Amino acid sequence: MQVFNVYMKVLKKKLSTAFIYLAVFLTLAVFMPSTAGGGAGEFSKTRLDICVFDEDDSPESRALVEHLKKEHKLVALEKDKDVITDALYYGRADYVMSIKEGYGSALGQGETDGLFENYHMHDGYAEAIMRQELDSYVGTVISCRAAGEELTAAIEKADSLLSGKARAEYVDLSGSKTDKSVYYYRYLAYVMIAVVLYVICEVTNVMNGKSIRSRTDCSGLKRTVYTLQMFLGSVIVVTVLWLIFNVCGILLFGKEMTSAQIVFTSLNSFIFALVCLSAAMFISEFSPGETALNLITQIISLGMSFLCGIFVEMSVLSESVLMAGRFLPAYWYVKANDTIMGGAFDSSQVLGYMAVEMIFAVFFFTVTMVVSKVKK
Amino acid sequence: MFLHDLKYFIKVHVRRRDLLFWLMLFPLVLGCFFKMAFGGLYEMETKSDPIPVAVTGSQEDGIFKSVTDALDESGEDILDITYTDEQTALDMLEKQKVKGIITLDGGISLRVASNGLEETILSMFVGQYSVYEKLVKDTAKESPQALENVVASLSAEYDTVKSKSVTSGNTDNYTQYFYNLIAMAALYGALLGLNIGTENQANLSALGAKKCVSPAPKWRMLTADIFGAYILQTLCMIICVSFFAFVLKVDFGSELPLVYISSAVGGMLGVSAGFAIGSVSRLSSSVKMSLSMAVTMFACFLSGLMVGNMKSILAEKAPWVNELNPAAVISDSIYCLGLFGDHVRFMYKFTEMIAMSAVFCTVGILLTRRRKYASI
């Protein structure tokens, strides 16, 4: 097992990069805030970040501000065009509005047009929510007035009618997961590609370097034995890496996953690790230099992450990008992962996705053997 | 001799493939991935399509029908309603074909399977409907003579909000990733600057040793190297901005010439920063390389390359970081051109870049001048 021993010795020197990826990934996984609003089994209304400039400063306008405060989060901004534009552009505020001077008296007289001014940048649902909310508030006040209430009483009644708990019941669709576990296993693909490609290619490069390879070639060791020992070394590296990532995943998120989900995500990530290994062995056949290897690793890991729904969800990617993604193994990994984490899943469908991943692995192994044969 | 030094600095560095990769190829490749992933996101986020919802229960509910008919007539396409039975509605919710189920059984109730803006709009619709229903019933009971006025005010259309656009520039907030990518490419110029420091120090490179014993004045060699690095980095920045603007069709607003100038000065800032880091004598060149890459990536992280609203968070919590962070200053100078066409703010950022470059250059020169070696 001389070749295997040397392989492991070289590996030791190349592991620092893998540990950096591992440390950063796990730190992010632990401290990543959950983006989903509300706990499981509970509906919570989305609270927007809004900024209100009260130009009227009357009891009526202050009552409206208090009402909005109950429904949304108020953010304070300087009334400066640049500050407002920056806040809207970078999402610090979803909606910026001013209550125009004369709002209180206009409301008392039943005038409703143009009571508010909105600093507009983006269209979208946030704008629709606020428009609907303001129209609804004013409409309710006017209706209460029409029913014979005084203005102050009408405002209080509108506030009590419109405020309060969200009116919706949450349907828990059997076992759909929180975003943190979904993201962990999705981002795992990026880390796997980057780490496996870098480590395997770097070690193989050293093993194929003149000083080691020439000595091995002139020894009595059979080529098949050499290849098998190299392969064994690579499989052990990938298996250990997969084990570390998977055990961490189970420790962090195992409680919220069903046993079927744990089994299938583990199997899916292991098959994907084999795909990464086969791709790394294929790249190593061309003995790329350090610069070229850096380039290849970055392009493949980032490329697959952007095209296959790792960094940006598949649901928001364009059809043409998804079409291109279908020709890449990470696309099928993410497909399988999202199906498993989406709740009750059809295992045959997931196994189908994994089979496609395996086809990629077999393809890379076959091409690697052909290239190796031709080069020899 | 100055031109001779300049020519050879450029020739040597044009042939270094690792530098070309980081300075030119990597930002372009990353730009392509950004375009593919984020290209259609803004349009998707800012359009508010009718929200698909299933309605079950009594389809003869007069008030519900009149409310939805009124919405149709007013042109507010808020809901995309499918009237169906309970089981089909649940299937549709599970398959995410609808965002919620509205049940009409004397009253009105809503079931959703997740939290989000669309579900919030549905809950507001249902809430508003309940409020209107309660108002009508209460008025009919307490003051039936006012019922006609109340119904009229409830079914009236309100236009309480007037919108005022804050900018006519490019409001696509995903474009800021390209601004930050340009900042990253500019700061990668530090790799060139690093070489100036390393290649002028006898204890760090053979070339440095040769230069130190040559009779040529050090200031002339150093100036030629700095100019050479500026020229190369400016070329890289021109290629980068041209590729983004004309191939990827990124909208930089109407001030593209100023974007070129800003990027070129940003590149000079990167080179100067690298020169300062490279001139710290006691660190080995590999440590300096790692240090400059780490500093660059951290600066880009703080300016929003990885997390889009990071700059905004810092503007709120620690605004001085954005003023001192070179990546934030570079991206901000391009941002204010794209969004406002604001020359005052641009000039402020531009001056800041020049000042930072001058400071870094001065530090580099102070650390490099009059250095003598008893032995290397």
Side-chain angles (χ1 to χ4, degrees):
Chain A
M1 295 291 275
Q2 195 60 34
V3 174
F4 179 79
N5 290 340
V6 176
Y7 189 97
M8 288 298 157
K9 269 188 186 171
V10 176
L11 175 72
K12 263 189 201 168
K13 290 180 183 167
K14 303 287 176 189
L15 276 180
S16 55
T17 307
F19 282 123
I20 292 171
Y21 271 104
L22 180 73
V24 172
F25 180 60
L26 291 179
T27 313
L28 287 177
V30 171
F31 294 106
M32 182 171 61
S34 179
T35 52
E42 179 193 342
F43 171 73
S44 64
K45 209 173 137 182
T46 301
R47 285 166 67 88
L48 300 174
D49 291 329
I50 63 168
C51 172
V52 184
F53 299 113
D54 186 356
E55 291 172 2
D56 192 42
D57 199 22
S58 61
E60 292 82 13
S61 65
R62 285 195 288 273
L64 172 60
V65 174
E66 283 306 311
H67 172 72
L68 291 173
K69 206 188 232 175
K70 289 180 199 164
E71 305 293 311
H72 302 285
K73 188 183 162 202
L74 290 189
V75 291
L77 293 176
E78 196 184 321
K79 199 173 180 188
D80 173 83
K81 196 185 165 202
D82 279 12
V83 175
I84 294 170
T85 311
D86 285 352
L88 286 169
Y89 186 85
Y90 288 112
R92 193 175 150 207
D94 298 307
Y95 194 82
V96 180
M97 61 173 277
S98 54
I99 302 171
K100 288 169 83 172
E101 206 176 335
Y103 160 79
S105 55
L107 194 64
Q109 289 160 15
E111 289 168 18
T112 59
D113 280 4
L115 295 174
F116 315 110
E117 192 169 58
N118 156 233
Y119 294 85
H120 173 79
M121 182 179 278
H122 314 291
D123 290 323
Y125 286 122
E127 186 112 353
I129 286 175
M130 286 308 297
R131 187 174 283 272
Q132 193 184 344
E133 195 147 325
L134 291 168
D135 285 352
S136 167
Y137 178 85
V138 170
T140 310
V141 172
I142 298 291
S143 301
C144 290
R145 293 269 289 150
E149 306 267 6
E150 288 299 314
L151 181 59
T152 317
I155 286 172
E156 278 172 18
K157 191 170 181 185
D159 179 51
S160 68
L161 282 170
L162 293 168
S163 303
K165 282 183 80 72
R167 295 166 180 87
E169 183 194 330
Y170 192 92
V171 183
D172 194 3
L173 294 172
S174 49
S176 61
K177 294 293 128 230
T178 64
D179 50 356
K180 279 183 93 170
S181 55
V182 177
Y183 285 138
Y184 179 88
Y185 283 100
R186 197 183 288 165
Y187 278 79
L188 182 63
Y190 164 70
V191 182
M192 278 279 198
I193 303 167
V195 173
V196 172
L197 285 193
Y198 181 80
V199 172
I200 299 290
C201 292
E202 278 277 292
V203 177
T204 315
N205 264 357
V206 176
M207 294 296 288
N208 285 339
K210 206 169 178 188
S211 57
I212 297 180
R213 191 59 193 261
S214 303
R215 270 185 273 173
T216 318
D217 284 348
C218 68
S219 71
L221 196 72
K222 278 185 186 171
R223 175 127 189 127
T224 329
V225 177
Y226 173 83
T227 310
L228 275 177
Q229 288 188 32
M230 288 281 287
F231 185 68
L232 182 66
S234 306
V235 169
I236 287 176
V237 174
V238 170
T239 310
V240 169
L241 284 171
W242 168 78
L243 263 177
I244 295 171
F245 285 122
N246 224 45
V247 167
C248 291
I250 292 168
L251 286 175
L252 286 169
F253 309 109
K255 276 183 193 165
E256 61 182 62
M257 291 161 73
T258 62
S259 49
Q261 281 172 327
I262 292 175
V263 171
F264 275 89
T265 46
S266 304
L267 184 62
N268 189 33
S269 55
F270 185 68
I271 292 174
F272 190 71
L274 289 181
V275 177
C276 296
L277 169 65
S278 62
M281 290 176 78
F282 173 66
I283 294 163
S284 301
E285 273 305 315
F286 301 95
S287 308
E290 203 175 333
T291 310
L293 182 60
N294 229 331
L295 174 82
I296 293 165
T297 309
Q298 297 285 355
I299 289 177
I300 293 180
S301 58
L302 289 173
M304 281 211 214
S305 301
F306 278 110
L307 295 178
C308 303
I310 296 172
F311 287 168
V312 181
E313 279 193 40
M314 274 188 186
S315 57
V316 294
L317 287 175
S318 70
E319 201 47 53
S320 53
V321 172
L322 288 176
M323 184 56 80
R326 284 189 182 96
F327 295 97
L328 299 167
Y331 174 88
W332 301 99
Y333 170 84
V334 176
K335 269 284 229 200
N337 191 55
D338 287 356
T339 312
I340 297 164
M341 296 303 216
F345 62 91
D346 180 2
S347 54
S348 59
Q349 189 187 11
V350 174
L351 288 171
Y353 295 145
M354 291 183 195
V356 181
E357 289 175 55
M358 278 305 287
I359 291 171
F360 277 102
V362 172
F363 169 76
F364 281 126
F365 278 128
T366 313
V367 175
T368 307
M369 281 161 71
V370 171
V371 172
S372 169
K373 194 92 179 161
V374 170
K375 278 180 84 178
K376 194 180 161 192
Chain B
M1 280 306 282
F2 173 84
L3 288 178
H4 177 85
D5 289 342
L6 181 68
K7 183 176 120 188
Y8 277 92
F9 180 89
I10 292 173
K11 271 182 102 172
V12 165
H13 287 85
V14 162
R15 287 173 187 172
R16 285 191 53 181
R17 281 187 296 174
D18 57 334
L19 273 179
L20 284 183
F21 165 61
W22 288 113
L23 294 181
M24 206 184 290
L25 206 55
F26 187 60
L28 302 192
V29 170
L30 213 52
C32 291
F33 291 148
F34 277 11
K35 184 68 184 177
M36 282 189 270
F38 303 142
L41 279 186
Y42 183 70
E43 282 74 22
M44 199 175 281
E45 280 179 7
T46 51
K47 70 176 179 191
S48 38
D49 287 335
I51 301 163
V53 60
V55 177
T56 65
S58 166
Q59 294 176 20
E60 303 305 316
D61 192 308
I63 302 178
F64 183 80
K65 203 86 178 154
S66 62
V67 170
T68 51
D69 288 349
L71 282 173
D72 284 346
E73 279 165 26
S74 69
E76 287 184 57
D77 261 354
I78 297 178
L79 304 180
D80 174 14
I81 298 172
T82 308
Y83 291 97
T84 183
D85 60 89
E86 177 70 15
Q87 193 50 49
T88 317
L90 278 170
D91 284 348
M92 288 170 85
L93 188 65
E94 192 169 346
K95 288 175 184 157
Q96 298 178 0
K97 285 184 180 163
V98 291
K99 292 286 174 186
I101 303 171
I102 292 175
T103 308
L104 304 166
D105 48 2
I108 186 169
S109 62
L110 169 73
R111 278 168 291 168
V112 294
S114 56
N115 294 316
L117 287 173
E118 285 151 308
E119 287 80 3
T120 298
I121 292 179
L122 285 181
S123 85
M124 283 173 65
F125 173 79
V126 169
Q128 196 178 332
Y129 176 86
S130 307
V131 167
Y132 284 8
E133 197 180 40
K134 185 174 172 7
L135 267 177
V136 170
K137 282 179 182 166
D138 285 358
T139 311
K141 208 165 114 186
E142 289 160 15
S143 46
Q145 74 283 358
L147 187 63
E148 200 179 327
N149 287 342
V150 171
V151 172
S153 59
L154 285 177
S155 46
E157 275 182 42
Y158 296 100
D159 187 18
T160 59
V161 185
K162 294 276 177 250
S163 285
K164 180 172 88 174
S165 184
V166 287
T167 174
S168 56
N170 175 14
T171 55
D172 179 351
N173 40 11
Y174 288 95
T175 313
Q176 66 99 11
Y177 285 102
F178 289 94
Y179 301 155
N180 283 306
L181 204 52
I182 291 174
M184 185 196 82
L187 291 184
Y188 272 167
L191 298 177
L192 279 171
L194 209 65
N195 281 355
I196 303 172
T198 311
E199 288 169 4
N200 280 288
Q201 288 178 36
N203 59 339
L204 290 183
S205 65
L207 186 58
K210 273 195 224 173
K211 282 185 170 181
C212 280
V213 294
S214 82
K218 200 163 186 177
W219 67 265
R220 200 187 62 206
M221 289 190 290
L222 213 53
T223 318
D225 284 0
I226 294 172
F227 267 101
Y230 283 165
I231 291 168
L232 277 179
Q233 182 61 2
T234 303
L235 278 175
C236 289
M237 295 314 296
I238 289 171
I239 291 169
C240 183
V241 174
S242 305
F243 185 79
F244 289 172
F246 300 114
V247 179
L248 300 183
K249 306 277 180 207
V250 176
D251 180 6
F252 287 108
S254 55
E255 308 272 8
L256 193 58
L258 287 179
V259 174
Y260 276 110
I261 292 171
S262 182
S263 309
V265 176
M268 281 166 62
L269 171 56
V271 170
S272 310
F275 174 47
I277 295 173
S279 302
V280 180
S281 155
R282 287 181 188 173
L283 301 174
S284 73
S285 59
S286 62
V287 171
K288 286 175 185 175
M289 177 86 146
S290 311
L291 190 68
S292 62
M293 288 299 271
V295 169
T296 300
M297 290 322 287
F298 187 61
C300 291
F301 169 75
L302 292 182
S303 79
L305 182 65
M306 291 86 173
V307 183
N309 59 346
M310 184 53 78
K311 204 192 285 175
S312 163
I313 293 169
L314 287 170
E316 194 184 348
K317 312 274 182 204
W320 54 270
V321 177
N322 287 342
E323 294 299 323
L324 293 178
N325 178 5
V329 175
I330 298 168
S331 71
D332 222 28
S333 68
I334 305 169
Y335 156 79
C336 67
L337 288 173
L339 199 62
F340 311 98
D342 181 351
H343 290 169
V344 178
R345 189 161 159 184
F346 170 74
M347 279 314 291
Y348 174 70
K349 296 289 164 190
F350 187 80
T351 315
E352 222 177 322
M353 284 193 280
I354 298 274
M356 280 184 179
S357 304
V359 168
F360 283 129
C361 268
T362 311
V363 170
I365 289 166
L366 288 176
L367 290 171
T368 315
R369 68 196 281 269
R370 294 190 177 180
R371 185 160 286 158
K372 292 194 166 42
Y373 303 89
S375 72
I376 50 172

